[in-house]
Amino acid sequence: MRTDAARLWVEACSLISKELPEKDYETWILELNPASFEDDTLTLEAPFGLFRDRVRQAFLPAIERAVSVAADRRCRVAVVVGSFGGTRPTGREKPRPTGERSVRTTAGLTNKKTFENFIVGESNRLAWLGAQQLADGKVHAGNPLFLYGGVGLGKTHLLLAIQNRLKKRGRRVLYYQGEEFTRKMVEALRLDRMEQFRNEFKVADALLIDDVQFIAGKKRTQQEFYHAFNFLHGAGKPIALASDRGPGDLEALEYGLQSRFQGGLLADVASLDDDLRVRILKAKAQEAGLGLADILIERIAVRLQGSVRDIEGLVLRLRAATTHQGADLDERLIETLIAPYVASSAPITLDKVIDTVAWVYGITRAELLSRDRSRRVAWPRHVAAYLCRKLTNSSLPEIGEVLGGRNHTSVLRAVRSVADRVSGDAAFASRLREIEGMLGHVPDPRM
Ligand code: ADP
Ligand code: MG
């Protein structure tokens, strides 16, 4: 079912992309997820309510036309808020028109995937270096290049960057999605065109296979792939593969492919650290023309979870909201918008309480933990103490320790003074609940 919807959507997308201005297409259409196709109705998921409404208002006729053409009969399209609207984003792959893969992105933020716009940190440096070496023809250093890691962390980006650079150098590059390889081969078998299929490899200067995990377990595909691989590898042609796990964890890999894959450079793309996360959010926000102050971006970034793709989704979301509001985003709205992207099920830590409280009161963490006793920073400190006590299992001495080395009686005093105010000041109490919401449960972002 899902693949039906996905396939139909891919075809429809390529029609829609010709009809709509590129910016609209990238901002609104590429962000939709095909959920199901039943009774001639294609259901598309939008990330949140305002988004859904805008798509319905502005693009529904164009979408229905394209889907009907793609399906060869009159179809209807339903746009709903997707399951990822209320929970953390999943980083699901979105279909994009084949052949345009290299110029479309999830969030439509970057047109081209290159080495230059790949942001490098500790977690992806080896992959980035290995990919560049390969693209520059230094194959002896690591051929094949095997990139692996979780979804949305830049593997496809690097493969496309390799492709772009090789093409610039006039090389003929074969680029396949894992599934696409199988599909093409099955088709060639059916149409009795294996010769042609194989010839493509014979004339290629480089082979790039994305999501190679999809060929594991498929005997015939692997066999064919093995021959192609050996042929090109033997000829010293660059080969790069990407997978969601390392070759050792690809079960059902036959014909010695496992050891072949392990014979070159294995480079994992690990999840983001805070530093890289901040730099990526900054870059993507800038590309999208979001006028958020650096300091705000940093505060958001450190609270985020998830992959680069998630970050792009968030940026898109922030941008869509500014388009709607026609105004600057205030902190309350930002809080709502980022809610699905920040840690939610993770236990509340003292650090998180401190960071969030500092953020809410507009002071730095260092100020909150300092000896400064002016009310501007002392009060937030008391609030932090209160919330640490209420929301974590830490003892008073432990809380005093992280709050800049205070003794437990002063922590207790702080907790009591905040508790007093909570019971006497309804407005403050509700503000405090809001902060607790930020730390704990995710408010429903559907609007
Ligand atoms: P994967 O193939 O690992 O699932 P992608 O390569 O599709 O992930 O990356 C998801 C999105 O994040 C893409 O739009 C990609 O351009 C972007 N991206 C990933 N890593 C980086 C990075 N280090 N710098 C800039 N953009 C990145
Ligand atoms: Mg990928």
mmCIF file of all heavy atoms in Angstrom, residues 93 155-156 177 210-211 309, ligand 2:
data_model
loop_
_atom_site.group_PDB
_atom_site.id
_atom_site.type_symbol
_atom_site.label_atom_id
_atom_site.label_comp_id
_atom_site.label_asym_id
_atom_site.label_seq_id
_atom_site.Cartn_x
_atom_site.Cartn_y
_atom_site.Cartn_z
ATOM 1 N N GLU A 93 12.400 9.045 4.430
ATOM 2 C CA GLU A 93 12.766 9.491 3.093
ATOM 3 C C GLU A 93 11.516 9.970 2.363
ATOM 4 O O GLU A 93 10.479 9.338 2.408
ATOM 5 C CB GLU A 93 13.354 8.317 2.295
ATOM 6 C CG GLU A 93 14.756 7.947 2.701
ATOM 7 C CD GLU A 93 15.782 8.849 2.030
ATOM 8 O OE1 GLU A 93 15.417 9.619 1.109
ATOM 9 O OE2 GLU A 93 16.945 8.784 2.433
ATOM 10 N N LYS A 155 24.665 10.827 4.341
ATOM 11 C CA LYS A 155 25.275 9.834 3.443
ATOM 12 C C LYS A 155 24.922 10.123 1.988
ATOM 13 O O LYS A 155 25.800 10.142 1.124
ATOM 14 C CB LYS A 155 24.815 8.421 3.823
ATOM 15 C CG LYS A 155 25.160 8.040 5.239
ATOM 16 C CD LYS A 155 24.699 6.639 5.579
ATOM 17 C CE LYS A 155 23.207 6.422 5.497
ATOM 18 N NZ LYS A 155 22.414 7.215 6.476
ATOM 19 N N THR A 156 23.658 10.324 1.746
ATOM 20 C CA THR A 156 23.249 10.610 0.367
ATOM 21 C C THR A 156 23.852 11.924 -0.113
ATOM 22 O O THR A 156 24.295 12.036 -1.262
ATOM 23 C CB THR A 156 21.704 10.668 0.280
ATOM 24 O OG1 THR A 156 21.191 9.384 0.633
ATOM 25 C CG2 THR A 156 21.240 11.017 -1.129
ATOM 26 N N GLN A 177 19.850 4.146 -6.316
ATOM 27 C CA GLN A 177 19.298 3.815 -5.021
ATOM 28 C C GLN A 177 19.332 2.304 -4.941
ATOM 29 O O GLN A 177 19.180 1.662 -5.980
ATOM 30 C CB GLN A 177 17.831 4.139 -5.023
ATOM 31 C CG GLN A 177 17.196 5.382 -4.472
ATOM 32 C CD GLN A 177 17.984 6.351 -3.714
ATOM 33 O OE1 GLN A 177 18.280 7.363 -4.288
ATOM 34 N NE2 GLN A 177 18.269 6.104 -2.458
ATOM 35 N N ASP A 210 23.351 3.930 -3.351
ATOM 36 C CA ASP A 210 22.814 4.459 -2.102
ATOM 37 C C ASP A 210 21.890 3.415 -1.486
ATOM 38 O O ASP A 210 21.275 2.630 -2.195
ATOM 39 C CB ASP A 210 22.032 5.740 -2.412
ATOM 40 C CG ASP A 210 21.912 6.642 -1.199
ATOM 41 O OD1 ASP A 210 22.307 6.206 -0.095
ATOM 42 O OD2 ASP A 210 21.447 7.777 -1.366
ATOM 43 N N ASP A 211 21.809 3.440 -0.176
ATOM 44 C CA ASP A 211 20.928 2.507 0.538
ATOM 45 C C ASP A 211 21.142 1.068 0.092
ATOM 46 O O ASP A 211 20.209 0.355 -0.281
ATOM 47 C CB ASP A 211 19.461 2.922 0.353
ATOM 48 C CG ASP A 211 19.165 4.241 1.045
ATOM 49 O OD1 ASP A 211 19.661 4.427 2.167
ATOM 50 O OD2 ASP A 211 18.464 5.083 0.454
ATOM 51 N N ARG A 309 18.427 15.998 8.774
ATOM 52 C CA ARG A 309 17.137 16.094 8.093
ATOM 53 C C ARG A 309 16.071 16.695 9.014
ATOM 54 O O ARG A 309 15.252 17.487 8.593
ATOM 55 C CB ARG A 309 16.688 14.708 7.619
ATOM 56 C CG ARG A 309 15.471 14.764 6.727
ATOM 57 C CD ARG A 309 14.975 13.388 6.397
ATOM 58 N NE ARG A 309 15.956 12.600 5.677
ATOM 59 C CZ ARG A 309 16.210 12.744 4.389
ATOM 60 N NH1 ARG A 309 15.561 13.624 3.698
ATOM 61 N NH2 ARG A 309 17.115 12.004 3.811
HETATM 62 MG MG MG B 2 20.123 8.566 2.139
#
